[in-house]
Amino acid sequence: MKEIFKQDRVTARSIALQALYSLDFNNELDDDLDLTVFPGMTEEEMDALDEEAKTFARLLILGTVENRSQIDQIIRKYSINRPLEKINIVDRNVLRLSLYQLLYVKDTHPTIIIDQAVKLSQSFSNDVSYKFINGLLDTYVKENIHD
């Protein structure tokens, strides 16, 4: 049972990243979101998802969008050599999604969140982005999260 839950969360993170990417790319991050169908997915694809994955993906998408101002401030603070607007759109949304989880989803250990961020970056971005994402998130955790 625990393995199914873990897999639902991995799936949800991937869906959330793709939705955030789509919203960011289309300049719709400030719009009122209707997540009956996730951006970039068909109704058939939505119907194929487990309810747990859909629920967690909605939480991640809405939470990230609602807290984007605070999250973007953190990215600006820790991305010393790269302004937020110059960060690759996939990487920017991996960071947003991950920082939302670090700030607000307290039932997941920071190491798991960073590991998942690296995997998302490796799957959806270029070959070196994961190092930037890992470094930024790791620095943030070391300075702000005390187990």
Side-chain angles (χ1 to χ4, degrees):
M1 182 71 174
K2 218 171 178 128
E3 186 61 35
I4 293 170
F5 181 69
K6 178 183 172 197
Q7 190 57 45
D8 287 341
R9 285 195 165 203
V10 170
T11 300
R13 286 182 183 101
S14 178
I15 292 165
L17 173 62
Q18 292 174 68
L20 290 167
Y21 172 89
S22 177
L23 292 167
D24 196 1
F25 184 81
N26 293 307
N27 294 311
E28 297 173 343
L29 282 169
D30 294 320
D31 296 352
D32 288 329
L33 300 181
D34 172 16
L35 295 179
T36 307
V37 177
F38 297 129
M41 291 187 93
T42 65
E43 286 187 42
E44 293 79 27
E45 291 170 325
M46 283 290 291
D47 291 341
L49 294 174
D50 293 330
E51 282 305 313
E52 292 83 6
K54 285 191 252 190
T55 300
F56 193 58
R58 280 187 187 100
L59 169 85
L60 294 174
I61 296 164
L62 291 172
T64 301
V65 170
E66 288 171 6
N67 295 284
R68 185 167 57 102
S69 177
Q70 176 191 15
I71 292 166
D72 284 356
Q73 283 181 304
I74 294 169
I75 295 170
R76 283 185 179 96
K77 178 180 177 183
Y78 286 90
S79 180
I80 299 162
N81 297 319
R82 210 180 303 182
L84 179 70
E85 298 73 25
K86 298 286 185 190
I87 297 173
N88 170 300
I89 193 168
V90 172
D91 300 336
R92 182 169 58 231
N93 285 289
V94 169
L95 289 168
R96 285 175 173 155
L97 176 64
S98 302
L99 284 164
Y100 169 74
Q101 292 174 85
L102 289 168
L103 290 164
Y104 298 103
V105 182
K106 299 298 183 182
D107 68 342
T108 306
H109 195 276
T111 305
I112 293 170
I113 294 169
I114 294 172
D115 180 62
Q116 288 297 304
V118 167
K119 287 179 180 175
L120 285 170
S121 177
Q122 289 172 325
S123 295
F124 292 100
S125 193
N126 64 49
D127 290 340
V128 295
S129 290
Y130 76 92
K131 294 176 184 176
F132 167 69
I133 288 169
N134 184 63
L136 189 146
L137 294 173
D138 189 54
T139 301
Y140 173 79
V141 167
K142 285 178 180 171
E143 291 182 10
N144 296 281
I145 298 179
H146 310 285
D147 295 317

